[in-house]
Each structure stands twice: as structure tokens, then as C-alpha cells.
């Protein structure tokens, strides 16, 4: 069994409506029991409803004996799979087989094109040609089929329990819960928190005798701390890591899931922070997209017009975690890691953080340049910039009051999927503009799904199967088709159907190949959360004008040194 795509669901509904109209409008008419039953099965599958043999026969539109015979004919072709619902094996449910779903997805694509060609207006004809000769028909680019059901249902008491962040991608997973319950054959319970509360709950869960969660989402910078505190298990202890196809993950995202060369999590979303900018505004003004921090200041100054409700740039400036992340990534734009990482080809070495002994670099010249850049950005930012965090910075950009915004790709659905937004269809995406000592980079964010160290042994094997199912290429493609703008795998970003959804997927793949996706800007040393909080507090006072940049950094350096001297327990 595979999950239904939005295109398949739309065509199934369309065909059911057409058949109903034909049956009610044309006399004489003869029911098509094979098609009626297949459409009923696919529609129920898309809605996450259990299908029994009797309900299939009832949907056939023919007498019971005939319907039973026609159902047997479909079963013989291998288009339907059975799954036992009870231990006795006397009761079973029916599900579309991978063969049925794959062939019907291709059929749905053809129906979609026929409808476009038949009813589309003249202006749409070129688009229809592009759709036919491009997309899934481009040579050399394989389509990822929908996700298949597990060979046997998971047997987890209380269902599969997942702890996640309350962001758009994980909310897409929540919206697809019924479909994935069909795939794993078990209930799913997903609990979502804000970023700070998520970390607190994960750490609190580690103190319990037995974990309340089978899988937990771990923000990339937390990995070193969670390994040091024994929160998560090494993957190799509980599974064959090769089953994940590690080479398919974006290099930076997969490396960020390791500690001391050992993988502890599977990338669930790889979402670089980028610069969003209004292509239409820049074109009208005759300005080139900003490549450097000086370009950002110049463009922000040009577009900043508070009297008419227009501002230059939005970013994370809220006190604490939000501003702390902004500052350490801005330091990276100026070529400065937040601690003294060794320099290597293409950046800095964040693969051997377990050696410890690091010194904060907040007192460096490049860190000072980064702080002064943020002070200058304040002049061209919205009036509520000091309270803006993850989502608040994107909202004014989406509604057309801001020319540029720093934002993770996972936030792009706020304007990509809302046609009423001024930024819809008018957004360009860039890696971070860099300072004099920096190069173009896109700091990698996102989450890995991990298995808690204190998960009960009897739940381990099924938790692993759930982990593989949720992070497979097919699952990631389904998330993208339902609104996610994160794709941790090369194969997903290269899928023609995914690329049609947003330019983000191809751009992220290109940045990965150019080695612009980097995780060293937020090195997952065990003390990183405390250092982020320190930076977000001290620099907030700087942005408010209470302290000078040099004094704020001196204070942050002193506090960060004290944190790094402490052992993690």
C-alpha cells in the first residue's frame, strides 16, 4: 500500500462525480463494478478510512453475488492487498497495492492533462505544453512512487508517539496522520511544542524511567548536548544504517546528524536559512539581488519608507533564542564561527566537535563587524523588529510591507501557498549575503528524528520501522506535495513533480552541490544552547541602545567562556 497524492485524490473524486452524472443522466446505462470498487478503495485510502470486502461489494453498483465475483477478479490481478485486522486472521482490511497506486497516479496525471487541454483557455495552451513535455516527462529524472505500507503492522501499545516542533513541516505530517496510520498499521500520536519548550520536554523525558515518546525531533544544534546527556541512541545500535540510503541526504544535513562520526538521527527536514527578496520590487527599481551585506544595507535603505508602511528588511531580533541564532549565523556571514573551529577547505571543521576545548570568538573583529551590521539593519527594519522571531519576520514580508527577509525555507509556505499574499509568485531566494571576509553560505537548519535512549526495549524495533517510514524519499515527497518546503534528500529535490511545486527544491540542491549548505555556523557543541541564549540577551541590549557593540560582545565573551569551562551533565 502507498499513500495517495493530492493529484490522485483529485482525479478519483472527479471520476466518481462523472460516473454519478452518467448513471443519473444517461439511459440505459450499465454500472462498471471494477472501476466503482477501485475508486471507492482509492478514495477511502486517501481519507484514511478502513475498507472491508463487504463495503467494496456495496460500492460496486451491482448485485451482491456479482460484486463478490468482480472483487475476486480484481484481487487476482494483484491490485489489492489484504491486511489482517485480528490475530485470528478471520477479519481483514483491503488496501491498494503499490502496482495499483503507481499505475493510477500515472493515470491521474494523464487525466489532469486531458482536462487542461480540453477545457483550458488559449492562454493556458503554452503552459499545458510545458507541463506535458516538462515535469515528469523530462528524461533521466525518475519519479518517486508514493510511500508503501509496511509489510506488517506496527504493534505499539498506545500507537507510535512522536515529539516534534510546531512548524509547518511537522504540521503537514500531522495533517497526513490518517494516511500514515494506514501505512504503518498503527495509531500515531504527535505532540508539538515551540522550540524552547521542545528542548525542555526532550530533556525532561530523558529523566524518566521510560520514554513517553518513540521518536523525538532534535534541532541540529542540540545534538552534541543530547549525546553528552545520554538523551538519544546511536542509530547503529538499533538498526542497519544502510537502510536509510545515507548518500541520498544533503551532505550538510547528514553530517549534522553525527557526533564523533556516529549518526544519532535521521534528517526529517533540512531547511537552510536564506534571504527572501521581492523580485518585482528589485526589478522595478533596477537593483540587482543583494550578494553582500553592503548590498543588503543599500537595498534596505532604498525601499525603506515608513510613512507609506514599507520597510527594508525583517529578521530575528527578539530577545533570547531568536536573536542568538541570528547573531551566530551573521557571524558566519562575516567568516567567523562562534567558537575557534579549525579552518578547512570550504569552511570550518564541525565534524570533530567531541574533542572539546573550544574558545568563544565573540571578541573577534569579524564578530564585531557582524554586530555592527545588525545595528545598521535596525535603521531599515519594521518598528516591532525587537520582538520579531521565527514567524513574525515572515508575515510582514508575505503581506508586502517588507522588501527582504531572512527566513528558513520551511516558512516559505506562508506566501508560496497563499495567493492573496503580495509576495506570492514574486519571491527570489538567495544564500546569505556575505561580509568582506565571508562567502555565500546558507546555514542549515531543521530537525533530525532520533530514538530516545530510555525507550522501552519492546518498542525499539517498531520505532525503527516508523523512523524509516517517516524519513523515506516517498514520505518526504508526500510532505512536499502537501505544503512542506523542506527536502533533506537529493532524490526528492530532483523529482520532477516536486520541482514543479516551488523553485526552492532545485535551488537548495544547487546550493548543496556548490557546498553553500553549511552546518558549522551553528556548531552542535554541548553548550551551544547556552551560548545562543547569552548572545540573544546581550545583543538585544545592544540593539536597544543600552550597550555599545564592543561592550555587549565583551560581556557575551566572558559569559560564554564561563559556560565552556563547565562540564555538561
Amino acid at each position: 500500500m502507498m499513500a495517495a497524492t493530492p493529484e490522485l485524490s483529485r482525479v478519483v473524486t472527479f471520476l466518481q462525480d462523472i460516473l454519478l452524472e452518467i448513471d443519473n443522466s444517461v439511459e440505459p446505462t450499465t454500472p462498471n463494478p471494477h472501476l466503482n470498487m477501485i475508486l471507492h478503495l482509492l478514495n477511502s485510502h486517501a481519507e484514511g478510512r478502513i475498507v472491508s470486502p463487504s463495503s467494496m461489494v456495496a460500492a460496486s453498483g451491482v448485485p451482491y453475488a456479482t460484486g463478490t465475483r468482480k472483487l475476486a477478479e480484481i484481487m487476482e490481478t494483484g491490485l489489492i492487498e489484504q491486511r489482517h485486522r485480528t490475530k485470528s486472521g478471520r477479519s481483514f482490511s483491503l488496501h491498494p497495492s503499490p502496482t495499483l497506486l503507481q499505475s493510477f497516479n500515472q493515470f491521474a496525471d494523464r487525466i489532469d492533462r486531458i482536462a487542461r487541454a480540453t477545457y483550458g483557455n488559449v492562454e493556458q495552451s503554452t503552459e499545458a505544453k510545458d507541463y506535458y513535455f516538462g515535469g515528469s516527462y523530462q528524461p533521466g529524472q525518475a519519479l518517486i512512487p508514493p510511500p508503501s505500507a509496511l509489510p506488517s503492522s506496527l504493534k505499539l501499545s498506545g500507537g507510535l508517539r512522536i515529539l516534534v516542533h510546531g512548524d509547518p513541516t511537522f504540521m503537514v505530517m500531522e495533517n497526513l496522520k490518517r494516511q500514515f496510520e494506514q501505512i504503518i498499521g498503527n495509531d500515531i500520536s504527535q505532540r508539538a511544542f515551540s522550540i524552547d519548550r521542545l528542548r525542555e520536554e526532550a530533556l525532561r523525558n530523558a529523566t524518566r524511567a521510560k520514554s513517553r515518546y518513540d521518536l523525538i525531533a532534535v534541532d541540529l544544534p542540540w545534538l552534541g548536548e543530547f549525546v553528552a546527556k545520554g538523551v538519544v541512541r546511536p542509530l547503529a545500535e538499533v538498526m542497519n544504517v544502510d537502510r536509510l540510503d545515507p548518500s541520498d541526504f544533503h551532505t550538510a544535513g547528514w553530517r549534522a546528524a553525527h557526533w564523533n562520526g556516529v549518526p544519532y538521527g535521521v534528517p526529517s527536514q533540512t531547511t537552510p536559512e536564506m534571504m527572501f527578496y521581492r523580485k518585482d520590487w528589485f526589478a522595478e527599481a533596477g537593483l540587482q539581488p543583494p550578494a553582500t551585506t553592503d548590498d543588503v544595507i543599500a537595498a534596505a535603505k532604498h525601499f525603506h519608507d515608513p510613512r507609506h508602511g514599507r520597510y527594508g528588511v525583517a529578521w530575528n531580533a527578539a530577545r533570547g533564542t531568536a536573536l542568538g541564532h541570528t547573531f551566530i549565523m551573521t557571524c558566519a556571514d562575516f567568516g567567523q564561527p562562534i567558537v575557534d573551529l579549525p579552518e578547512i577547505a570550504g569552511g570550518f571543521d564541525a565534524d570533530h566537535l567531541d574533542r572539546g576545548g573550544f574558545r568563544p570568538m565573540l571578541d573577534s573583529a569579524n564578530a564585531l563587524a557582524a554586530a555592527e551590521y545588525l545595528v545598521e539593519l535596525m535603521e531599515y527594519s519594521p518598528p516591532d523588529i525587537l520582538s520579531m522571531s521565527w514567524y513574525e519576520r515572515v508575515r510582514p514580508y508575505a503581506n508586502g510591507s517588507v522588501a527582504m527577509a531572512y527566513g528558513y525555507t520551511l516558512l516559505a509556505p506562508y506566501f508560496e501557498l497563499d495567493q492573496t499574499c503580495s509576495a506570492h509568485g514574486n519571491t527570489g531566494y538567495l544564500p546569505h549575503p556575505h561580509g568582506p571576509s565571508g562567502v555565500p553560505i546558507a546555514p542549515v537548519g531543521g530537525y533530525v528524528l532520533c530514538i530516545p535512549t530510555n525507550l522501552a526495549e519492546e518498542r525499539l524495533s517498531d520505532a525503527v520501522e516508523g523512523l524509516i517510514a517517516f524519513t523515506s524519499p516517498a514520505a518526504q515527497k508526500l510532505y512536499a506535495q502537501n505544503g512542506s518546503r523542506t527536502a533533506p534528500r537529493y532524490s526528492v529535490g530532483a523529482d520532477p513533480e516536486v520541482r514543479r511545486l516551488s523553485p526552492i527544491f532545485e535551488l537548495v540542491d544547487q546550493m548543496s552541490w556548490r557546498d553553500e549548505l553549511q552546518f558549522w555556523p551553528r556548531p552542535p557543541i554541548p553548550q551551544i544552547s547556552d551560548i545562543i541564549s547569552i548572545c540573544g540577551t546581550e545583543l538585544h541590549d545592544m540593539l536597544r541602545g543600552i550597550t555599545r557593540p564592543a561592550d555587549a560582545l565583551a560581556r557575551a565573551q566572558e559569559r560564554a567562556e564561563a559556560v565552556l569551562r563547565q562540564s555538561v551533565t
Side-chain angles (χ1 to χ4, degrees), residues 165 195-196 219 273 315-316 318 321-323 325-326 329 388-395 406-408 411 414 522:
H165 180 229
I195 186 168
D196 289 330
D219 195 15
E273 184 172 88
W315 44 291
N316 268 3
T321 301
L323 177 57
H325 279 276
T326 286
M329 288 190 287
M388 279 189 178
S389 58
W390 319 103
Y391 304 106
E392 288 81 4
R393 57 180 167 169
V394 173
R395 288 177 182 140
Y406 286 93
Y408 287 110
L411 300 174
Y414 281 105
R522 299 189 305 165

PDB file of all heavy atoms in Angstrom, residues 165 195-196 219 273 315-316 318 321-323 325-326 329 388-395 406-408 411 414 522:
ATOM      1  N   HIS A 165       8.487  19.677  16.730  1.00  0.00           N
ATOM      2  CA  HIS A 165       8.389  21.140  16.771  1.00  0.00           C
ATOM      3  C   HIS A 165       7.120  21.568  16.030  1.00  0.00           C
ATOM      4  O   HIS A 165       6.751  20.964  15.026  1.00  0.00           O
ATOM      5  CB  HIS A 165       9.623  21.753  16.099  1.00  0.00           C
ATOM      6  CG  HIS A 165       9.637  23.239  16.087  1.00  0.00           C
ATOM      7  ND1 HIS A 165       9.904  23.981  14.949  1.00  0.00           N
ATOM      8  CD2 HIS A 165       9.417  24.140  17.074  1.00  0.00           C
ATOM      9  CE1 HIS A 165       9.852  25.269  15.238  1.00  0.00           C
ATOM     10  NE2 HIS A 165       9.562  25.381  16.521  1.00  0.00           N
ATOM     11  N   ILE A 195      10.077  25.926  20.028  1.00  0.00           N
ATOM     12  CA  ILE A 195      11.453  25.432  20.020  1.00  0.00           C
ATOM     13  C   ILE A 195      12.044  25.303  21.423  1.00  0.00           C
ATOM     14  O   ILE A 195      12.653  24.273  21.761  1.00  0.00           O
ATOM     15  CB  ILE A 195      12.345  26.305  19.111  1.00  0.00           C
ATOM     16  CG1 ILE A 195      13.746  25.679  18.996  1.00  0.00           C
ATOM     17  CG2 ILE A 195      12.389  27.754  19.581  1.00  0.00           C
ATOM     18  CD1 ILE A 195      14.588  26.307  17.905  1.00  0.00           C
ATOM     19  N   ASP A 196      11.889  26.304  22.274  1.00  0.00           N
ATOM     20  CA  ASP A 196      12.471  26.222  23.612  1.00  0.00           C
ATOM     21  C   ASP A 196      11.780  25.154  24.456  1.00  0.00           C
ATOM     22  O   ASP A 196      12.429  24.406  25.197  1.00  0.00           O
ATOM     23  CB  ASP A 196      12.401  27.581  24.311  1.00  0.00           C
ATOM     24  CG  ASP A 196      13.364  28.593  23.704  1.00  0.00           C
ATOM     25  OD1 ASP A 196      14.421  28.175  23.199  1.00  0.00           O
ATOM     26  OD2 ASP A 196      13.060  29.806  23.718  1.00  0.00           O
ATOM     27  N   ASP A 219      16.551  19.570  17.185  1.00  0.00           N
ATOM     28  CA  ASP A 219      17.117  20.661  16.403  1.00  0.00           C
ATOM     29  C   ASP A 219      18.618  20.409  16.242  1.00  0.00           C
ATOM     30  O   ASP A 219      19.300  19.984  17.181  1.00  0.00           O
ATOM     31  CB  ASP A 219      16.873  21.984  17.136  1.00  0.00           C
ATOM     32  CG  ASP A 219      17.105  23.201  16.251  1.00  0.00           C
ATOM     33  OD1 ASP A 219      17.174  23.042  15.018  1.00  0.00           O
ATOM     34  OD2 ASP A 219      17.218  24.318  16.810  1.00  0.00           O
ATOM     35  N   GLU A 273      18.592  28.537   6.044  1.00  0.00           N
ATOM     36  CA  GLU A 273      18.106  29.912   6.134  1.00  0.00           C
ATOM     37  C   GLU A 273      18.646  30.672   4.928  1.00  0.00           C
ATOM     38  O   GLU A 273      19.834  30.605   4.607  1.00  0.00           O
ATOM     39  CB  GLU A 273      18.548  30.604   7.423  1.00  0.00           C
ATOM     40  CG  GLU A 273      17.938  32.000   7.509  1.00  0.00           C
ATOM     41  CD  GLU A 273      18.160  32.707   8.824  1.00  0.00           C
ATOM     42  OE1 GLU A 273      19.191  33.369   8.964  1.00  0.00           O
ATOM     43  OE2 GLU A 273      17.280  32.599   9.703  1.00  0.00           O
ATOM     44  N   TRP A 315      13.976  40.350  10.190  1.00  0.00           N
ATOM     45  CA  TRP A 315      14.892  39.322  10.659  1.00  0.00           C
ATOM     46  C   TRP A 315      14.575  38.989  12.106  1.00  0.00           C
ATOM     47  O   TRP A 315      13.733  39.627  12.731  1.00  0.00           O
ATOM     48  CB  TRP A 315      16.351  39.784  10.509  1.00  0.00           C
ATOM     49  CG  TRP A 315      16.607  41.217  10.940  1.00  0.00           C
ATOM     50  CD1 TRP A 315      16.160  42.349  10.307  1.00  0.00           C
ATOM     51  CD2 TRP A 315      17.333  41.663  12.079  1.00  0.00           C
ATOM     52  NE1 TRP A 315      16.566  43.476  10.992  1.00  0.00           N
ATOM     53  CE2 TRP A 315      17.304  43.091  12.073  1.00  0.00           C
ATOM     54  CE3 TRP A 315      18.038  41.015  13.097  1.00  0.00           C
ATOM     55  CZ2 TRP A 315      17.919  43.867  13.062  1.00  0.00           C
ATOM     56  CZ3 TRP A 315      18.665  41.779  14.071  1.00  0.00           C
ATOM     57  CH2 TRP A 315      18.601  43.194  14.046  1.00  0.00           C
ATOM     58  N   ASN A 316      15.227  37.977  12.636  1.00  0.00           N
ATOM     59  CA  ASN A 316      15.036  37.563  14.032  1.00  0.00           C
ATOM     60  C   ASN A 316      15.751  38.522  14.968  1.00  0.00           C
ATOM     61  O   ASN A 316      16.981  38.481  15.073  1.00  0.00           O
ATOM     62  CB  ASN A 316      15.640  36.171  14.255  1.00  0.00           C
ATOM     63  CG  ASN A 316      14.648  35.058  14.058  1.00  0.00           C
ATOM     64  OD1 ASN A 316      13.511  35.293  13.697  1.00  0.00           O
ATOM     65  ND2 ASN A 316      15.086  33.830  14.287  1.00  0.00           N
ATOM     66  N   ALA A 318      14.146  39.193  18.228  1.00  0.00           N
ATOM     67  CA  ALA A 318      13.537  39.015  19.540  1.00  0.00           C
ATOM     68  C   ALA A 318      14.581  38.526  20.544  1.00  0.00           C
ATOM     69  O   ALA A 318      15.464  37.731  20.212  1.00  0.00           O
ATOM     70  CB  ALA A 318      12.378  38.035  19.461  1.00  0.00           C
ATOM     71  N   THR A 321      16.621  33.228  22.318  1.00  0.00           N
ATOM     72  CA  THR A 321      16.980  32.227  21.324  1.00  0.00           C
ATOM     73  C   THR A 321      16.933  32.766  19.901  1.00  0.00           C
ATOM     74  O   THR A 321      17.830  32.497  19.091  1.00  0.00           O
ATOM     75  CB  THR A 321      16.042  31.011  21.445  1.00  0.00           C
ATOM     76  OG1 THR A 321      16.158  30.464  22.770  1.00  0.00           O
ATOM     77  CG2 THR A 321      16.411  29.934  20.436  1.00  0.00           C
ATOM     78  N   ALA A 322      15.900  33.527  19.573  1.00  0.00           N
ATOM     79  CA  ALA A 322      15.726  34.003  18.192  1.00  0.00           C
ATOM     80  C   ALA A 322      16.906  34.876  17.758  1.00  0.00           C
ATOM     81  O   ALA A 322      17.548  34.626  16.727  1.00  0.00           O
ATOM     82  CB  ALA A 322      14.411  34.768  18.062  1.00  0.00           C
ATOM     83  N   LEU A 323      17.212  35.924  18.530  1.00  0.00           N
ATOM     84  CA  LEU A 323      18.324  36.813  18.184  1.00  0.00           C
ATOM     85  C   LEU A 323      19.663  36.076  18.284  1.00  0.00           C
ATOM     86  O   LEU A 323      20.572  36.344  17.492  1.00  0.00           O
ATOM     87  CB  LEU A 323      18.322  38.046  19.088  1.00  0.00           C
ATOM     88  CG  LEU A 323      19.468  39.034  18.890  1.00  0.00           C
ATOM     89  CD1 LEU A 323      19.531  39.535  17.454  1.00  0.00           C
ATOM     90  CD2 LEU A 323      19.340  40.201  19.876  1.00  0.00           C
ATOM     91  N   HIS A 325      20.343  32.991  17.523  1.00  0.00           N
ATOM     92  CA  HIS A 325      20.550  32.284  16.256  1.00  0.00           C
ATOM     93  C   HIS A 325      20.942  33.260  15.152  1.00  0.00           C
ATOM     94  O   HIS A 325      21.850  32.976  14.355  1.00  0.00           O
ATOM     95  CB  HIS A 325      19.272  31.530  15.863  1.00  0.00           C
ATOM     96  CG  HIS A 325      19.100  30.222  16.555  1.00  0.00           C
ATOM     97  ND1 HIS A 325      19.677  29.058  16.115  1.00  0.00           N
ATOM     98  CD2 HIS A 325      18.407  29.892  17.673  1.00  0.00           C
ATOM     99  CE1 HIS A 325      19.348  28.062  16.923  1.00  0.00           C
ATOM    100  NE2 HIS A 325      18.574  28.535  17.879  1.00  0.00           N
ATOM    101  N   THR A 326      20.240  34.395  15.089  1.00  0.00           N
ATOM    102  CA  THR A 326      20.566  35.382  14.049  1.00  0.00           C
ATOM    103  C   THR A 326      22.016  35.831  14.162  1.00  0.00           C
ATOM    104  O   THR A 326      22.740  35.910  13.154  1.00  0.00           O
ATOM    105  CB  THR A 326      19.642  36.605  14.174  1.00  0.00           C
ATOM    106  OG1 THR A 326      18.339  36.252  13.712  1.00  0.00           O
ATOM    107  CG2 THR A 326      20.144  37.771  13.331  1.00  0.00           C
ATOM    108  N   MET A 329      24.676  33.182  13.074  1.00  0.00           N
ATOM    109  CA  MET A 329      24.671  32.975  11.626  1.00  0.00           C
ATOM    110  C   MET A 329      25.189  34.215  10.898  1.00  0.00           C
ATOM    111  O   MET A 329      25.815  34.099   9.843  1.00  0.00           O
ATOM    112  CB  MET A 329      23.273  32.588  11.149  1.00  0.00           C
ATOM    113  CG  MET A 329      22.884  31.169  11.566  1.00  0.00           C
ATOM    114  SD  MET A 329      21.372  30.538  10.810  1.00  0.00           S
ATOM    115  CE  MET A 329      20.134  31.487  11.687  1.00  0.00           C
ATOM    116  N   MET A 388      10.425  40.502  16.908  1.00  0.00           N
ATOM    117  CA  MET A 388      10.234  39.568  15.801  1.00  0.00           C
ATOM    118  C   MET A 388      11.066  38.306  16.004  1.00  0.00           C
ATOM    119  O   MET A 388      12.250  38.393  16.321  1.00  0.00           O
ATOM    120  CB  MET A 388      10.627  40.219  14.467  1.00  0.00           C
ATOM    121  CG  MET A 388       9.568  41.107  13.884  1.00  0.00           C
ATOM    122  SD  MET A 388       9.987  41.617  12.202  1.00  0.00           S
ATOM    123  CE  MET A 388       8.524  42.575  11.810  1.00  0.00           C
ATOM    124  N   SER A 389      10.419  37.156  15.797  1.00  0.00           N
ATOM    125  CA  SER A 389      11.150  35.889  15.840  1.00  0.00           C
ATOM    126  C   SER A 389      10.815  35.095  14.593  1.00  0.00           C
ATOM    127  O   SER A 389      10.536  35.665  13.540  1.00  0.00           O
ATOM    128  CB  SER A 389      10.818  35.122  17.129  1.00  0.00           C
ATOM    129  OG  SER A 389       9.428  34.876  17.226  1.00  0.00           O
ATOM    130  N   TRP A 390      10.794  33.789  14.693  1.00  0.00           N
ATOM    131  CA  TRP A 390      10.736  32.896  13.533  1.00  0.00           C
ATOM    132  C   TRP A 390       9.617  33.234  12.556  1.00  0.00           C
ATOM    133  O   TRP A 390       9.854  33.374  11.360  1.00  0.00           O
ATOM    134  CB  TRP A 390      10.598  31.448  14.017  1.00  0.00           C
ATOM    135  CG  TRP A 390      11.468  31.167  15.189  1.00  0.00           C
ATOM    136  CD1 TRP A 390      11.089  31.079  16.494  1.00  0.00           C
ATOM    137  CD2 TRP A 390      12.893  30.985  15.186  1.00  0.00           C
ATOM    138  NE1 TRP A 390      12.182  30.850  17.298  1.00  0.00           N
ATOM    139  CE2 TRP A 390      13.292  30.778  16.527  1.00  0.00           C
ATOM    140  CE3 TRP A 390      13.859  30.972  14.184  1.00  0.00           C
ATOM    141  CZ2 TRP A 390      14.616  30.556  16.880  1.00  0.00           C
ATOM    142  CZ3 TRP A 390      15.176  30.754  14.533  1.00  0.00           C
ATOM    143  CH2 TRP A 390      15.541  30.546  15.875  1.00  0.00           C
ATOM    144  N   TYR A 391       8.399  33.345  13.036  1.00  0.00           N
ATOM    145  CA  TYR A 391       7.267  33.554  12.137  1.00  0.00           C
ATOM    146  C   TYR A 391       6.972  35.029  11.912  1.00  0.00           C
ATOM    147  O   TYR A 391       6.559  35.431  10.815  1.00  0.00           O
ATOM    148  CB  TYR A 391       6.022  32.852  12.692  1.00  0.00           C
ATOM    149  CG  TYR A 391       6.247  31.384  12.944  1.00  0.00           C
ATOM    150  CD1 TYR A 391       6.382  30.882  14.233  1.00  0.00           C
ATOM    151  CD2 TYR A 391       6.366  30.495  11.880  1.00  0.00           C
ATOM    152  CE1 TYR A 391       6.613  29.539  14.457  1.00  0.00           C
ATOM    153  CE2 TYR A 391       6.603  29.146  12.098  1.00  0.00           C
ATOM    154  CZ  TYR A 391       6.722  28.675  13.394  1.00  0.00           C
ATOM    155  OH  TYR A 391       6.967  27.348  13.608  1.00  0.00           O
ATOM    156  N   GLU A 392       7.200  35.842  12.938  1.00  0.00           N
ATOM    157  CA  GLU A 392       6.871  37.261  12.839  1.00  0.00           C
ATOM    158  C   GLU A 392       7.654  37.973  11.731  1.00  0.00           C
ATOM    159  O   GLU A 392       7.167  38.922  11.128  1.00  0.00           O
ATOM    160  CB  GLU A 392       7.127  37.962  14.175  1.00  0.00           C
ATOM    161  CG  GLU A 392       6.117  37.626  15.269  1.00  0.00           C
ATOM    162  CD  GLU A 392       6.410  36.299  15.947  1.00  0.00           C
ATOM    163  OE1 GLU A 392       7.448  35.679  15.607  1.00  0.00           O
ATOM    164  OE2 GLU A 392       5.612  35.877  16.803  1.00  0.00           O
ATOM    165  N   ARG A 393       8.870  37.514  11.438  1.00  0.00           N
ATOM    166  CA  ARG A 393       9.669  38.169  10.409  1.00  0.00           C
ATOM    167  C   ARG A 393       9.141  37.885   9.007  1.00  0.00           C
ATOM    168  O   ARG A 393       9.353  38.669   8.081  1.00  0.00           O
ATOM    169  CB  ARG A 393      11.132  37.720  10.498  1.00  0.00           C
ATOM    170  CG  ARG A 393      11.312  36.211  10.377  1.00  0.00           C
ATOM    171  CD  ARG A 393      12.752  35.797  10.476  1.00  0.00           C
ATOM    172  NE  ARG A 393      12.886  34.351  10.659  1.00  0.00           N
ATOM    173  CZ  ARG A 393      14.030  33.704  10.559  1.00  0.00           C
ATOM    174  NH1 ARG A 393      15.135  34.353  10.281  1.00  0.00           N
ATOM    175  NH2 ARG A 393      14.087  32.406  10.754  1.00  0.00           N
ATOM    176  N   VAL A 394       8.458  36.762   8.832  1.00  0.00           N
ATOM    177  CA  VAL A 394       7.978  36.392   7.502  1.00  0.00           C
ATOM    178  C   VAL A 394       6.604  36.994   7.209  1.00  0.00           C
ATOM    179  O   VAL A 394       6.296  37.301   6.058  1.00  0.00           O
ATOM    180  CB  VAL A 394       7.934  34.855   7.360  1.00  0.00           C
ATOM    181  CG1 VAL A 394       7.273  34.430   6.059  1.00  0.00           C
ATOM    182  CG2 VAL A 394       9.352  34.301   7.422  1.00  0.00           C
ATOM    183  N   ARG A 395       5.804  37.213   8.219  1.00  0.00           N
ATOM    184  CA  ARG A 395       4.457  37.738   7.989  1.00  0.00           C
ATOM    185  C   ARG A 395       4.462  39.093   7.299  1.00  0.00           C
ATOM    186  O   ARG A 395       3.743  39.280   6.315  1.00  0.00           O
ATOM    187  CB  ARG A 395       3.688  37.789   9.315  1.00  0.00           C
ATOM    188  CG  ARG A 395       3.302  36.405   9.816  1.00  0.00           C
ATOM    189  CD  ARG A 395       2.614  36.463  11.154  1.00  0.00           C
ATOM    190  NE  ARG A 395       2.294  35.123  11.646  1.00  0.00           N
ATOM    191  CZ  ARG A 395       2.414  34.741  12.899  1.00  0.00           C
ATOM    192  NH1 ARG A 395       2.855  35.581  13.802  1.00  0.00           N
ATOM    193  NH2 ARG A 395       2.096  33.515  13.268  1.00  0.00           N
ATOM    194  N   TYR A 406      15.207  37.584   6.142  1.00  0.00           N
ATOM    195  CA  TYR A 406      15.952  36.359   6.407  1.00  0.00           C
ATOM    196  C   TYR A 406      14.938  35.319   6.888  1.00  0.00           C
ATOM    197  O   TYR A 406      14.159  35.580   7.803  1.00  0.00           O
ATOM    198  CB  TYR A 406      17.000  36.573   7.489  1.00  0.00           C
ATOM    199  CG  TYR A 406      18.210  37.371   7.060  1.00  0.00           C
ATOM    200  CD1 TYR A 406      18.271  38.754   7.233  1.00  0.00           C
ATOM    201  CD2 TYR A 406      19.318  36.739   6.495  1.00  0.00           C
ATOM    202  CE1 TYR A 406      19.397  39.485   6.856  1.00  0.00           C
ATOM    203  CE2 TYR A 406      20.449  37.460   6.118  1.00  0.00           C
ATOM    204  CZ  TYR A 406      20.474  38.828   6.300  1.00  0.00           C
ATOM    205  OH  TYR A 406      21.588  39.545   5.921  1.00  0.00           O
ATOM    206  N   GLY A 407      14.949  34.125   6.275  1.00  0.00           N
ATOM    207  CA  GLY A 407      13.982  33.123   6.702  1.00  0.00           C
ATOM    208  C   GLY A 407      14.349  31.729   6.243  1.00  0.00           C
ATOM    209  O   GLY A 407      14.968  31.540   5.197  1.00  0.00           O
ATOM    210  N   TYR A 408      13.960  30.734   7.046  1.00  0.00           N
ATOM    211  CA  TYR A 408      14.144  29.340   6.664  1.00  0.00           C
ATOM    212  C   TYR A 408      13.158  28.963   5.559  1.00  0.00           C
ATOM    213  O   TYR A 408      12.045  29.480   5.498  1.00  0.00           O
ATOM    214  CB  TYR A 408      13.938  28.417   7.865  1.00  0.00           C
ATOM    215  CG  TYR A 408      15.042  28.450   8.883  1.00  0.00           C
ATOM    216  CD1 TYR A 408      14.847  29.019  10.140  1.00  0.00           C
ATOM    217  CD2 TYR A 408      16.291  27.908   8.592  1.00  0.00           C
ATOM    218  CE1 TYR A 408      15.868  29.044  11.083  1.00  0.00           C
ATOM    219  CE2 TYR A 408      17.315  27.923   9.534  1.00  0.00           C
ATOM    220  CZ  TYR A 408      17.100  28.497  10.768  1.00  0.00           C
ATOM    221  OH  TYR A 408      18.110  28.526  11.700  1.00  0.00           O
ATOM    222  N   LEU A 411       9.466  28.225   6.142  1.00  0.00           N
ATOM    223  CA  LEU A 411       8.489  29.296   6.319  1.00  0.00           C
ATOM    224  C   LEU A 411       7.904  29.781   5.003  1.00  0.00           C
ATOM    225  O   LEU A 411       6.930  30.540   4.994  1.00  0.00           O
ATOM    226  CB  LEU A 411       9.131  30.480   7.052  1.00  0.00           C
ATOM    227  CG  LEU A 411       9.683  30.183   8.451  1.00  0.00           C
ATOM    228  CD1 LEU A 411      10.424  31.386   9.003  1.00  0.00           C
ATOM    229  CD2 LEU A 411       8.554  29.782   9.396  1.00  0.00           C
ATOM    230  N   TYR A 414       4.059  30.163   3.884  1.00  0.00           N
ATOM    231  CA  TYR A 414       3.205  31.269   4.308  1.00  0.00           C
ATOM    232  C   TYR A 414       2.851  32.189   3.151  1.00  0.00           C
ATOM    233  O   TYR A 414       1.790  32.808   3.146  1.00  0.00           O
ATOM    234  CB  TYR A 414       3.868  32.072   5.434  1.00  0.00           C
ATOM    235  CG  TYR A 414       3.753  31.412   6.777  1.00  0.00           C
ATOM    236  CD1 TYR A 414       4.843  30.779   7.366  1.00  0.00           C
ATOM    237  CD2 TYR A 414       2.545  31.388   7.461  1.00  0.00           C
ATOM    238  CE1 TYR A 414       4.745  30.148   8.590  1.00  0.00           C
ATOM    239  CE2 TYR A 414       2.427  30.762   8.683  1.00  0.00           C
ATOM    240  CZ  TYR A 414       3.532  30.149   9.246  1.00  0.00           C
ATOM    241  OH  TYR A 414       3.417  29.520  10.460  1.00  0.00           O
ATOM    242  N   ARG A 522      26.241  26.943  13.136  1.00  0.00           N
ATOM    243  CA  ARG A 522      25.624  26.627  14.435  1.00  0.00           C
ATOM    244  C   ARG A 522      26.220  25.299  14.919  1.00  0.00           C
ATOM    245  O   ARG A 522      25.532  24.281  14.958  1.00  0.00           O
ATOM    246  CB  ARG A 522      24.105  26.536  14.310  1.00  0.00           C
ATOM    247  CG  ARG A 522      23.441  27.814  13.847  1.00  0.00           C
ATOM    248  CD  ARG A 522      21.931  27.726  13.959  1.00  0.00           C
ATOM    249  NE  ARG A 522      21.414  26.556  13.246  1.00  0.00           N
ATOM    250  CZ  ARG A 522      20.181  26.072  13.418  1.00  0.00           C
ATOM    251  NH1 ARG A 522      19.364  26.631  14.296  1.00  0.00           N
ATOM    252  NH2 ARG A 522      19.780  25.024  12.729  1.00  0.00           N
TER     253      ARG A 522
END
